[in-house]
Amino acid sequence: MADLEKSQPEEIANPPSGGKELPPPGSPLDWLRAGVFPEDWTLIPVAGKATYIKEWGDHKRRRIDSEGLFFEDSRYNGFGVVTGELSGGLIALDVDGHQADARYRAEAGAGYEAYGEEQTMSWTSGKPGRRQLLYRVPEHMVPLMADINTVILREDGEWALGQGDTNRTKKEQAGEEYEELVLRFNRCQSVLPQSIHPDTGKRYRFLNYNGGQPAEAPEWVLEVIRPHLKAKAWLSEEEMGQLEAEAGKTLLPSRQIRGWFFSEEVQAKLLPRLDELVFKHPTFDQYGWDIRPGKNPQMMSGCPWHGGKSGTSFQYSELSGCWDCKACGVGGDVLDFVHKIKTGDKFAGKPKGPSLENYVAELAVALGYRYPDDAQAVVRTEVTPRPNLMLDSESFLKRLSQIIKEHPNPAKAKDLMQELAQNTGRRMSAIDCIRAEQEYSAYVLAQKTNGKPWWEIEKMTFTIPGLMMRPTQIILHAAPGKGKTSAAMGFARMVGRGEPMTIRGIQVPIQAGKVLWIQNDQNPAKLVRDCEDNGIDPEKDSEWFIVRRSFQMNYVADLTKWINDVKPALVVIDSIGSCSTDMQEQEKDKAFASPLYYYSRMNGESLDLGGFNPCTIMWIHHDNAQGEVRGTRYLTAAVDEQWHLRDLTDQEKEQVRAKGKVASNCRFIQVKKSRMGREGDLLMVERDIQGTYSVWDHTPTERRTDEGQGDPEPSTMALRIVRDRARGEGPVEERRITALAVWEQLVEELHGLGVNDAPSRRTVDRWLKRWVEDGVLVLGGIEMVGKSRTKTYTTPTPPRVGWSLECPLSIVTPDTSDDQDLTMDTPSANDGHVHRSGVAPAMDMSIVPPEGVNRETPCSDAGSGATIDNGQNSEATICPSQIGNAESHNEEGKAAGEPAGGAVEGLQGAGGSEARPLPREREEVARGDRADGAGEALSNEAATELDFKSLLSHQPRWDSYETAFG
């Protein structure tokens, strides 16, 4: 034993690489991404030797899925390879110490590979005498090894299937250490190099990299395996689909033919007569048969296809009928042998259709059976039992729908559906039942939906004007550590408190609404801390910030009930990965995205059709290795928008630094897919010195075509024209603009750019109306053009002349800089703006504090209004609620309505009393007396007495606000 220990060096500085260089030492993830391990391997993340993935040994996984799973649990510190069929037939020899190595030397004989002299991929944990050697078994043997998990060399010298040596317990009870020697195949995993050992805390390291490829299994390993090979009676649905795709008609289905032939009854009669009925060939007569003795004897002879000098290359088991020839690389069960001999092609696949039936019928007659009568009788009694519950298709599908409604627990529902299928004689799995019910329900819903005029629907609204539609679904994805949760909390805070946001360089109001936060990604203590860091008080703000936990994305009944009970404007689900850990479907499966399709269909649908209140649903998710959404592409197909939270490029960092911001504290949300036409738009996410996250639209008001390289986009030019007019000088009524004036200026600018194909007046009018519907613009009142009364347009909260765009209550408005706002696109857009330095920020005039939402305002505690210095050593008292409430009357004595500056007076808190509707929701008066709530209030003398320029010197109390900027 001492000599053995000396022969095993503690460290191997440069393990043999087989011609392919290993990357420098790094994290397990670095090696995974560097392609150290073959692409066809199925890898799983491990914490020591353990993994927390259910059914990890039953499903093949792509590399990007394995990487994503690694990030879902902080305990993971390495990767393991799943041996067996899922990794192309890998078999691992685990040598668990010096005593086990001695047994390995005795068993392998000339095939023994000494420590440090391995001829295949091998590695060690660093513990004395311990190592793993990895081989690949011949492809033809893999299907016959389906039932082989581990084969252990017991101390009595016998190789046995099972999980342990019979002598192991005795030795451990006696205080002796047991050292195992085992071959691992299906449903086993081996921890890979660079992973951390749970006992030593050191990384596993290669003994021989061998070019990243395991060697073929040596003959002594195949001899251990052969006695345990077993024919597959029932092929998988995929295998049978491949066989029957080209098969002709048979008396019985191919699957049932195989099931009967490989039953215990038939095989008991066949195996004693294998030499007589199956393995008949002139080559065998020439070479004769030798027997490899043992518990599971092997018959050996020359090969029917290549002969062989030794006369032992072809082997079959008398106990299973499985055979193989290593030299030819072929093998299989008895039907495979008959098929290859009959066709003269040693590489022929499995027999199918009439060929399969002819072989079985011929052997059945020789064994004394009548085919297909005997086979059919067995099939009827064993394969398709008579149903004990008779249901027609309509009743069966209705019962499935009833099960889903009555049992929100998906596991219980699946079990009941499977039971119902069996009781009604249907060969359907639970997943098959779910898919059938979905198709059935979708069709029923379509018939009900199409029973009324399609245009009689509730139109889409905006949770955040111009950004978040309602109803809609969004996926916000990013790499780990980029701040996905905090960015989502920034949106949640804006919606919950009704804080205004900058959209396309225009400050727009947000109607306050409740936020349903579904948390599965972290513990409650961490969620509380995140809330506090982002200005949300979990207790005080619980009226609008509602949290639900322990959710899985396929709990469709629960989410439907929560939304209908809470009636949120925004739903945030953190995250897809953590909300799918207990689902049977994998991220790579199309069925994984089925819940998202359901939520998309039911979002805003009437309650009597099973729908729920319209809302914006934001799913937080992880990136894959390519920076795209992890998992199946059907996830992004199921949602309306895909938002990617990413780092800034070097050029973007320089631009941000030029604005006086810390580039490392900034991220971009890039819209990658949008049904609103916002592909390529950018949102800025910034973290301030307090750790609070702010969000605003970084997209310029005026966009350019051809990915920013072409001419200005006409529809956004129209928006910019309205914005520029709103920012101009003069009275408020002069800073509104008609659609005709917008069209005229747009045509003039396009002609100046050499563009002759200008849009029509009707098109421009449609664009402006759409901007109003989106909440980015508002109607500014009525203007007389000749004898006609014409609508005017303006921004929701037009900046006063010389005022800063900064809004103390907003977390989203960008600060101004020396030259140009971060969100502005033209220098002229900043005419009349003042620099932040030396000028106080403007008072928030856009939103009246709603009931139930705490907010301090510049108004005095007595409620009489804010004291404002008008710049003339005199003071005036005013409160935001007074601005825009002055009335003007037309010739008929009707109120013309509030001005654009006060056109947001309908906004209310999540739990507040009922308020007047938003301007775009009001019914338009035919004669234009009230232009959607925005009239000419400031056009009369009473309104103009409010000298807005006098507000320039107003100094609000900054300590009364929570702002997002340091």
Side-chain angles (χ1 to χ4, degrees):
M1 188 65 65
D3 294 338
L4 182 60
E5 293 184 8
K6 290 179 181 179
S7 69
Q8 299 181 353
E10 184 63 25
E11 295 287 344
I12 295 181
N14 297 301
S17 64
K20 181 178 179 180
E21 295 298 328
L22 279 172
S27 70
L29 191 59
D30 292 337
W31 274 26
L32 182 75
R33 291 174 171 173
V36 171
F37 309 109
E39 280 293 328
D40 64 339
W41 286 10
T42 294
L43 305 186
I44 56 172
V46 293
K49 297 183 180 180
T51 187
Y52 308 107
I53 302 171
K54 294 184 178 180
E55 300 177 350
W56 56 265
D58 298 330
H59 305 285
K60 191 169 182 64
R61 287 180 174 82
R62 298 179 302 170
R63 189 60 45 87
I64 57 174
D65 297 328
S66 303
E67 183 178 336
L69 291 169
F70 180 83
F71 291 116
E72 292 186 0
D73 197 311
S74 60
R75 292 173 290 183
Y76 289 140
N77 54 21
F79 289 93
V81 57
V82 180
T83 53
E85 184 177 1
L86 296 185
S87 294
L90 293 184
I91 189 165
L93 175 65
D94 188 1
V95 184
D96 202 23
H98 297 306
Q99 296 176 11
D101 197 271
R103 298 205 302 278
Y104 164 37
R105 181 195 294 268
E107 183 69 18
Y112 172 76
E113 300 176 38
Y115 189 98
E117 299 177 9
E118 294 83 356
Q119 302 301 307
T120 185
M121 286 186 77
S122 51
W123 54 82
T124 179
S125 65
K127 299 185 74 172
R130 299 196 178 186
R131 54 179 171 147
Q132 286 207 25
L133 294 83
L134 202 63
Y135 300 105
R136 192 182 296 276
V137 300
E139 182 179 357
H140 65 270
M141 296 182 70
V142 173
L144 306 176
M145 297 173 64
D147 295 332
I148 298 178
N149 298 335
T150 58
V151 189
I152 299 171
L153 179 60
R154 302 187 307 198
E155 290 189 334
D156 61 7
E158 292 289 336
W159 287 94
L161 298 177
Q163 298 299 321
D165 193 334
T166 54
N167 296 328
R168 181 172 192 156
T169 303
K170 296 179 180 178
K171 296 193 70 171
E172 290 179 346
Q173 289 176 348
E176 300 179 26
E177 184 178 2
Y178 176 81
E179 296 182 355
E180 188 174 65
L181 180 67
V182 60
L183 288 167
R184 304 185 187 279
F185 196 66
N186 281 337
R187 289 169 289 279
C188 297
Q189 64 96 1
S190 295
V191 181
L192 292 170
Q194 290 303 107
S195 305
I196 298 176
H197 193 278
D199 297 333
T200 65
K202 297 181 179 180
R203 297 187 185 277
Y204 288 82
R205 67 180 190 278
F206 275 115
L207 294 172
N208 184 358
Y209 181 52
N210 201 45
Q213 291 296 330
E216 291 187 6
E219 181 61 27
W220 76 265
V221 172
L222 300 183
E223 290 178 2
V224 171
I225 294 172
R226 283 190 180 102
H228 305 290
L229 300 180
K230 185 178 179 181
K232 293 179 67 174
W234 297 93
L235 300 181
S236 67
E237 294 290 350
E238 181 180 0
E239 290 169 327
M240 288 307 305
Q242 294 172 351
L243 290 184
E244 295 182 346
E246 302 175 3
K249 294 184 178 180
T250 58
L251 298 176
L252 295 176
S254 297
R255 182 179 174 118
Q256 296 181 1
I257 294 173
R258 288 184 61 91
W260 173 76
F261 181 77
F262 286 109
S263 65
E264 291 185 6
E265 177 189 344
V266 177
Q267 290 297 299
K269 291 186 177 182
L270 174 65
L271 294 177
R273 302 176 62 184
L274 286 174
D275 57 342
E276 171 194 348
L277 300 178
V278 177
F279 296 108
K280 302 178 298 179
H281 195 272
T283 302
F284 300 149
D285 297 335
Q286 176 184 350
Y287 282 89
W289 289 101
D290 287 334
I291 300 178
R292 185 190 302 276
K295 205 169 186 180
N296 295 289
Q298 295 285 310
M299 304 298 295
M300 303 181 297
S301 186
C303 175
W305 296 285
H306 86 282
K309 295 180 180 180
S310 65
T312 60
S313 56
F314 183 92
Q315 301 184 29
Y316 80 87
S317 169
E318 290 185 313
L319 298 183
S320 67
C322 294
W323 62 274
D324 78 286
C325 175
K326 183 181 179 184
C328 292
V330 295
D333 55 45
V334 292
L335 292 178
D336 295 330
F337 179 78
V338 172
H339 186 53
K340 294 179 188 298
I341 294 298
K342 294 279 189 182
T343 60
D345 180 7
K346 65 180 178 181
F347 297 113
K350 289 187 174 298
K352 55 191 174 185
S355 296
L356 171 66
E357 191 165 57
N358 288 337
Y359 303 152
V360 170
E362 182 180 343
L363 290 171
V365 172
L367 294 174
Y369 290 104
R370 291 179 303 165
Y371 183 89
D373 296 341
D374 292 336
Q376 198 167 18
V378 173
V379 167
R380 284 174 177 170
T381 57
E382 296 183 2
V383 179
T384 54
R386 183 175 181 179
N388 54 27
L389 179 63
M390 300 299 295
L391 286 179
D392 58 25
S393 296
E394 182 76 12
S395 301
F396 173 72
L397 293 168
K398 284 183 177 180
R399 185 74 64 87
L400 292 180
S401 297
Q402 184 179 0
I403 289 174
I404 291 178
K405 292 178 181 178
E406 293 178 354
H407 301 280
N409 186 324
K412 186 173 182 179
K414 288 177 181 177
D415 183 63
L416 291 174
M417 286 189 288
Q418 176 82 59
E419 182 180 358
L420 179 64
Q422 292 177 349
N423 290 339
T424 57
R426 291 173 169 85
R427 297 180 58 189
M428 298 173 64
S429 66
I431 299 299
D432 293 335
C433 292
I434 290 175
R435 290 171 178 166
E437 193 280 331
Q438 287 176 341
E439 291 182 355
Y440 172 76
S441 296
Y443 182 80
V444 171
L445 178 62
Q447 298 307 304
K448 292 181 179 179
T449 303
N450 292 325
K452 60 181 181 180
W454 67 269
W455 58 88
E456 292 181 1
I457 57 173
E458 184 176 348
K459 292 187 177 180
M460 299 188 78
T461 58
F462 279 87
T463 301
I464 297 179
L467 182 65
M468 283 187 181
M469 299 180 75
R470 182 168 61 191
T472 192
Q473 285 192 111
I474 299 168
I475 281 186
L476 173 64
H477 64 101
K482 299 302 180 185
K484 299 183 292 293
T485 298
S486 294
M489 281 201 169
F491 289 112
R493 185 178 57 197
M494 281 188 289
V495 173
R497 293 183 176 167
E499 296 171 336
M501 180 178 180
T502 296
I503 300 294
R504 296 185 180 274
I506 299 174
Q507 190 181 84
V508 300
I510 297 176
Q511 185 172 11
K514 294 181 179 179
V515 175
L516 176 60
W517 189 279
I518 297 177
Q519 177 63 47
N520 231 36
D521 206 42
Q522 57 192 8
N523 58 58
K526 181 63 169 61
L527 178 60
V528 168
R529 171 168 287 192
D530 284 346
C531 287
E532 293 173 347
D533 289 345
N534 285 278
I536 299 175
D537 188 314
E539 182 177 359
K540 293 182 179 179
D541 293 329
S542 60
E543 181 180 355
W544 62 264
F545 189 77
I546 296 95
V547 176
R548 295 289 184 269
R549 300 169 54 223
S550 299
F551 172 73
Q552 294 288 290
M553 57 188 287
N554 58 344
Y555 292 2
V556 293
D558 285 349
L559 186 57
T560 299
K561 183 178 186 302
W562 292 343
I563 293 176
N564 285 330
D565 290 345
V566 175
K567 295 179 175 58
L570 174 64
V571 178
V572 178
I573 303 176
D574 190 10
S575 61
I576 288 181
S578 63
C579 291
S580 59
T581 53
D582 296 330
M583 291 175 57
Q584 295 183 19
E585 295 78 15
Q586 303 298 313
E587 283 190 2
K588 63 182 178 61
D589 300 331
K590 179 180 179 180
F592 184 84
S594 295
L596 272 68
Y597 281 99
Y598 175 86
Y599 298 134
S600 178
R601 188 170 71 247
M602 292 302 177
N603 196 350
E605 184 61 80
S606 60
L607 272 61
D608 60 333
L609 295 180
F612 51 82
N613 283 272
C615 58
T616 300
I617 302 177
M618 175 178 286
W619 297 87
I620 297 177
H621 198 28
H622 297 283
D623 279 357
N624 60 21
Q626 289 74 40
E628 298 295 333
V629 173
R630 196 185 70 206
T632 173
R633 66 183 184 276
Y634 293 102
L635 286 174
T636 54
V639 299
D640 301 278
E641 300 214 339
Q642 173 191 352
W643 293 3
H644 185 208
L645 179 63
R646 62 169 176 83
D647 288 324
L648 277 62
T649 64
D650 292 339
Q651 182 179 1
E652 291 167 343
K653 289 178 181 178
E654 292 303 319
Q655 294 173 352
V656 167
R657 292 190 185 102
K659 303 301 178 182
K661 298 184 180 296
V662 180
S664 60
N665 288 344
C666 298
R667 301 281 189 275
F668 270 152
I669 294 178
Q670 182 171 359
V671 181
K672 305 191 74 172
K673 169 197 171 180
S674 173
R675 290 174 181 165
M676 291 174 56
R678 288 193 57 125
E679 291 89 349
D681 284 7
L682 294 176
L683 307 176
M684 173 70 79
V685 180
E686 182 181 10
R687 182 182 61 197
D688 67 11
I689 195 171
Q690 283 82 26
T692 301
Y693 282 74
S694 310
V695 188
W696 66 84
D697 191 357
H698 189 72
T699 309
T701 307
E702 181 179 283
R703 295 185 57 182
R704 292 183 176 271
T705 60
D706 195 16
E707 298 181 354
Q709 306 300 315
D711 294 326
E713 190 177 72
S715 64
T716 60
M717 289 177 68
L719 178 64
R720 188 259 305 156
I721 290 171
V722 178
R723 183 208 65 187
D724 289 351
R725 176 67 68 90
R727 293 180 180 175
E729 297 185 0
V732 172
E733 61 270 18
E734 294 182 4
R735 288 187 274 128
R736 308 167 187 163
I737 188 170
T738 65
L740 174 61
V742 172
W743 176 75
E744 291 174 343
Q745 183 175 340
L746 176 61
V747 172
E748 181 179 354
E749 291 186 10
L750 288 174
H751 286 170
L753 295 171
V755 179
N756 296 321
D757 188 15
S760 66
R761 288 178 54 182
R762 178 175 295 182
T763 299
V764 172
D765 187 60
R766 175 169 52 84
W767 286 343
L768 295 177
K769 289 180 179 178
R770 180 58 56 86
W771 289 119
V772 171
E773 291 175 1
D774 292 352
V776 180
L777 297 180
V778 295
L779 291 172
I782 300 298
E783 180 178 302
M784 297 300 298
V785 178
K787 295 183 180 181
S788 302
R789 297 169 60 86
T790 305
K791 296 176 183 178
T792 61
Y793 297 87
T794 188
T795 55
T797 52
R800 310 309 175 192
V801 179
W803 278 37
S804 165
L805 288 180
E806 196 73 61
C807 175
L809 293 181
S810 174
I811 68 168
V812 295
T813 319
D815 52 344
T816 53
S817 60
D818 292 340
D819 298 317
Q820 184 176 330
D821 288 341
L822 191 61
T823 56
M824 298 304 103
D825 54 323
T826 58
S828 61
N830 297 278
D831 295 342
H833 288 206
V834 296
H835 304 311
R836 169 179 285 214
S837 57
V839 178
M843 180 175 59
D844 178 22
M845 303 182 62
S846 60
I847 299 179
V848 178
E851 179 181 347
V853 178
N854 296 326
R855 180 182 304 166
E856 295 183 315
T857 71
C859 299
S860 66
D861 295 337
S864 59
T867 302
I868 303 175
D869 184 356
N870 61 13
Q872 302 175 359
N873 297 323
S874 62
E875 295 182 345
T877 300
I878 189 171
C879 188
S881 61
Q882 296 174 314
I883 298 176
N885 287 338
E887 294 184 356
S888 63
H889 300 272
N890 58 19
E891 64 274 14
E892 297 179 3
K894 295 183 180 180
E898 290 74 18
V904 295
E905 40 86 13
L907 303 180
Q908 65 178 10
S913 58
E914 183 178 358
R916 284 173 288 176
L918 286 170
R920 67 176 184 275
E921 296 173 344
R922 297 178 182 171
E923 182 178 356
E924 184 176 337
V925 180
R927 297 185 61 182
D929 292 27
R930 291 179 61 88
D932 282 10
E936 299 175 296
L938 295 184
S939 63
N940 60 12
E941 295 180 0
T944 54
E945 288 179 359
L946 289 174
D947 184 3
F948 289 108
K949 292 185 179 181
S950 68
L951 299 179
L952 280 172
S953 59
H954 170 56
Q955 302 288 337
R957 296 175 296 160
W958 277 92
D959 58 351
S960 67
Y961 299 106
E962 289 184 13
T963 65
F965 302 96

